[in-house]
Amino acid sequence: MVEPHGKTWTTRRGSNPRLESDPVIDIPPTPPGDARPGNKLPATTPFLSLFFPFFSSGSDGLGYANLTTAFIIGAWYFSNIGVLLLNKYLLSIYGYRYPIFLTMIHMVSCSLYSLAAIRWLRLVPLQSVSSRKQLFKIAALSGIFCFSVVCGNTSLRYLPISFNQAVGATTPFFTAIFSLLITCQRESGAVYLALLPVVLGIVVASNSEPLFHLFGFLVCIGSTAGRALKSVVQGILLTSEGEKLNSMNLLMYMSPIAAVMLLPVTLWMEGNIAGTTAAMAAEDPRLLFFLFVNATVAYLVNLTNFLVTKHTSALTLQVLGNAKAAVAAVVSVLIFRNPVTVMGMTGFGITIFGVVLYSEAKKRSKSSSSASSSSPNSSSS
């Protein structure tokens, strides 16, 4: 019986080893119609790649992700510098001299925007408060938060933004002090040495600041210390896994508590602020627009802080913060034309240099401590 030709060929080819060394040519399959030249791009290709070839869909849209990160960093700079300029304009130039009420408006704005971003837009998952103890801890953080923001806004009535940012750059100094006093956490010698130029720079800048104001300087120091204290206390109070909150959820819970705290204070210290604001708005309706934009940008500061950390890292946010102080100082001088001196600029530069040294020393200290803690585990294994 004669076998079919295809079956005979397969049997003979499998039984002849010389034929097995022949190369097998793989013919690629015909591409689908939507991938052939001349046809439209697939739906997964980013829209910007039509205009900018480097934003292609290769590498999982890496170019598009880079564009998103660059946009977020730009929004971070815009919001952080914008809120400083708006606060300075309202409190010092426009004549709206009510920093406590302005801070309360910021807190109300952050409450409403955070609620919309988390519950409706679902930018981050909703985290609920699990106990009264956790709520009490959040209230304690809200009190420190209020103190820091009110002092910062008050200082802008008396100090130029350039000097305000120079003082604010000393936050690492107060963080190290509070960590040592509250948590007994000691840093390496290099970290403490890096803090010396931070303090030296602000001393030089203070002695040569043409618009130095003692009360403004003291409340600015209070704002900086309060910001550092909040970060240390937050690391103590919200440490357990059940109580940890991301920055967006924490802002949503802190803001309304802070607004309630500020209401009696503004009524006591700033009088009939609602009637005063209404009377000023009747004379100049632009005031309501200024307050709305100011409150919105104040929320964007917190939102972009979260987004920068999410898309980059906490270290990147710290580096951007160091650069932001210098950029805000330059922009404020260009806009408000406040006088500066060579010694003042030198002192500011020394402070920023010290902050950079502190960041590097802190990073090396953490890496060395993690390496030393992992070495016993590796030796035991």
Side-chain angles (χ1 to χ4, degrees):
M1 185 177 188
V2 180
E3 295 179 350
H5 182 268
K7 187 174 180 180
T8 304
W9 167 251
T10 304
T11 304
R12 289 178 179 175
R13 190 175 191 274
S15 60
N16 192 343
R18 290 189 302 105
L19 297 178
E20 293 298 314
S21 60
D22 292 342
V24 179
I25 301 175
D26 292 330
I27 301 177
T30 303
D34 57 357
R36 294 175 187 172
N39 289 351
K40 63 180 181 179
L41 294 171
T44 56
T45 303
F47 178 75
L48 286 176
S49 65
L50 298 174
F51 305 96
F52 303 98
F54 48 90
F55 290 117
S56 62
S57 59
S59 303
D60 296 328
L62 182 60
Y64 195 77
N66 291 337
L67 176 66
T68 302
T69 303
F71 174 78
I72 291 173
I73 292 176
W76 182 88
Y77 270 107
F78 170 79
S79 58
N80 276 268
I81 298 176
V83 75
L84 284 171
L85 298 176
L86 287 171
N87 287 344
K88 178 64 178 178
Y89 176 76
L90 285 171
L91 295 170
S92 182
I93 307 240
Y94 185 86
Y96 190 78
R97 307 182 186 279
Y98 307 103
I100 302 177
F101 184 70
L102 184 64
T103 305
M104 192 185 77
I105 293 177
H106 290 179
M107 296 300 105
V108 173
S109 169
C110 289
S111 302
L112 298 177
Y113 281 122
S114 297
L115 190 66
I118 295 177
R119 290 189 176 270
W120 297 339
L121 300 180
R122 302 182 186 277
L123 293 182
V124 294
L126 175 64
Q127 296 173 297
S128 58
V129 177
S130 58
S131 63
R132 290 185 179 180
K133 182 180 178 181
Q134 185 184 14
L135 183 61
F136 175 78
K137 293 178 179 179
I138 294 174
L141 291 175
S142 300
I144 303 174
F145 186 49
C146 283
F147 175 80
S148 175
V149 178
V150 168
C151 287
N153 289 339
T154 303
S155 70
L156 290 174
R157 279 190 58 185
Y158 306 98
L159 299 177
I161 292 179
S162 54
F163 187 58
N164 172 279
Q165 290 299 289
V167 177
T170 61
T171 302
F173 170 77
F174 292 99
T175 302
I177 296 298
F178 286 130
S179 297
L180 179 62
L181 295 177
I182 298 176
T183 66
C184 298
Q185 177 183 349
R186 294 182 178 274
E187 302 289 351
S188 63
V191 173
Y192 288 121
L193 285 176
L195 293 174
L196 293 180
V198 174
V199 179
L200 175 63
I202 201 61
V203 171
V204 173
S206 301
N207 289 332
S208 57
E209 173 56 45
L211 301 179
F212 181 82
H213 192 282
L214 180 59
F215 178 73
F217 174 73
L218 292 177
V219 293
C220 192
I221 288 289
S223 172
T224 306
R227 188 162 55 245
L229 179 62
K230 175 183 171 291
S231 65
V232 174
V233 173
Q234 181 175 337
I236 298 173
L237 296 183
L238 303 177
T239 53
S240 64
E241 290 298 327
E243 293 182 343
K244 282 184 179 179
L245 299 172
N246 61 50
S247 59
M248 296 298 294
N249 279 272
L250 184 61
L251 179 68
M252 183 181 68
Y253 291 120
M254 281 199 314
S255 299
I257 299 175
V260 172
M261 289 180 176
L262 290 172
L263 179 59
V265 179
T266 185
L267 292 176
W268 176 52
M269 299 187 65
E270 297 175 337
N272 185 18
I273 183 60
T276 304
T277 303
M280 294 180 67
E283 295 180 1
D284 185 6
R286 295 182 306 165
L287 175 62
L288 297 179
F289 174 74
F290 291 153
L291 292 176
F292 171 76
V293 173
N294 181 251
T296 301
V297 176
Y299 169 74
L300 291 179
V301 170
N302 297 277
L303 176 62
T304 53
N305 281 343
F306 172 79
L307 292 177
V308 167
T309 306
K310 178 181 178 182
H311 285 264
T312 58
S313 65
L315 179 61
T316 302
L317 182 63
Q318 189 176 18
V319 173
L320 291 175
N322 298 337
K324 184 265 297 182
V327 174
V330 173
V331 171
S332 67
V333 170
L334 294 176
I335 293 178
F336 298 113
R337 303 291 181 180
N338 57 282
V340 293
T341 62
V342 175
M343 288 301 295
M345 296 172 60
T346 302
F348 191 12
I350 293 174
T351 297
I352 296 297
F353 177 70
V355 172
V356 174
L357 288 181
Y358 170 83
S359 302
E360 289 297 320
K362 187 81 171 176
K363 183 171 63 175
R364 291 180 181 178
S365 177
K366 286 184 178 180
S367 61
S368 61
S369 61
S370 61
S372 60
S373 61
S374 61
S375 58
N377 296 331
S378 59
S379 59
S380 62
S381 59

